[in-house]
Amino acid sequence: MTLLIDELWPGVIFNQPFRIKKSCQIAHVRPWVYKHGTPPAGEMVLQVLDSEHNILREARLGASAINLAAPLPYAHGPLRFDFPSLQLNHDRTQEFTEYTIRIFMDCYTANSSNFYGLIRRYEQNYYPLYGDLDSEGGPLKSTISPLGFELYKVDY
């Protein structure tokens, strides 16, 4: 198995747009995170932004909480960020409304032995993206894949 990882070094900001087709209230977001070693300090920050890039909500998880959630030195899986009462509204005059998830590290010093990363949704592309093929019929854009994440909404 091959994992496509975006390492979260200091100063790296990862933005992933997503679209909704109806208004909803989000309970939590779970990005797919990779842990290499045991980073000793820092916070992973997840922000939800509207289409004008205004921050709607922000959640933080410290290195100690992440390391506790994944006690093995090398691990990957969903990491839960809670958002009490995060309302995402859909403009019904449009087909969809776009929002963005932004993830970065704060107060964090990484090294090649201890770091966090984000895993793309597609581990290995067997199918072409956007219909593009190389001369041998394989995908041209095999490293352009969305962030693996899940949104959990509250139903009334």
Side-chain angles (χ1 to χ4, degrees), residues 10 18 21 26 40 42 45 59-60 63 69 93 98 103 107 124 126 139 142:
F18 68 97
K21 292 189 173 188
I26 301 300
V45 181
R60 295 171 172 261
T93 63
E98 188 167 287
I103 302 176
C107 301
Q124 292 178 325
Y126 294 106
S142 62

Side-chain angles (χ1 to χ4, degrees):
M1 172 169 49
T2 301
L3 297 177
L4 182 57
I5 299 170
D6 284 307
E7 297 172 7
L8 289 173
W9 300 106
V12 171
I13 298 173
F14 187 88
N15 292 304
Q16 177 63 56
F18 68 97
R19 298 174 176 175
I20 61 170
K21 292 189 173 188
K22 66 178 186 176
S23 296
C24 57
Q25 187 171 357
I26 301 300
H28 55 270
V29 177
R30 295 179 1 149
W32 192 8
V33 174
Y34 173 75
K35 185 184 97 158
H36 188 94
T38 307
E43 292 182 313
M44 187 176 295
V45 181
L46 189 145
Q47 298 173 333
V48 179
L49 293 80
D50 64 15
S51 59
E52 297 173 355
H53 302 288
N54 298 312
I55 298 171
L56 301 176
R57 289 284 194 282
E58 176 179 288
R60 295 171 172 261
L61 285 176
S64 59
I66 298 170
N67 294 335
L68 184 63
L72 297 175
Y74 306 100
H76 65 91
L79 189 61
R80 181 175 163 165
F81 289 82
D82 291 318
F83 290 97
S85 67
L86 171 57
Q87 180 69 33
L88 301 181
N89 294 316
H90 171 56
D91 179 358
R92 292 181 181 214
T93 63
Q94 305 293 322
E95 180 182 356
F96 57 82
T97 304
E98 188 167 287
Y99 290 88
T100 300
I101 290 176
R102 176 181 291 163
I103 302 176
F104 60 94
M105 296 300 296
D106 190 25
C107 301
Y108 174 64
T109 303
N111 60 50
S112 60
S113 300
N114 299 291
F115 64 88
Y116 298 115
L118 300 173
I119 299 178
R120 300 297 186 118
R121 184 51 135 190
Y122 307 113
E123 298 180 43
Q124 292 178 325
N125 284 325
Y126 294 106
Y127 304 102
L129 295 174
Y130 314 115
D132 294 333
L133 299 173
D134 63 16
S135 62
E136 297 177 12
L140 276 178
K141 301 176 180 171
S142 62
T143 60
I144 303 174
S145 301
L147 168 69
F149 72 93
E150 300 168 333
L151 295 175
Y152 287 84
K153 66 184 185 77
V154 177
D155 288 324
Y156 298 103

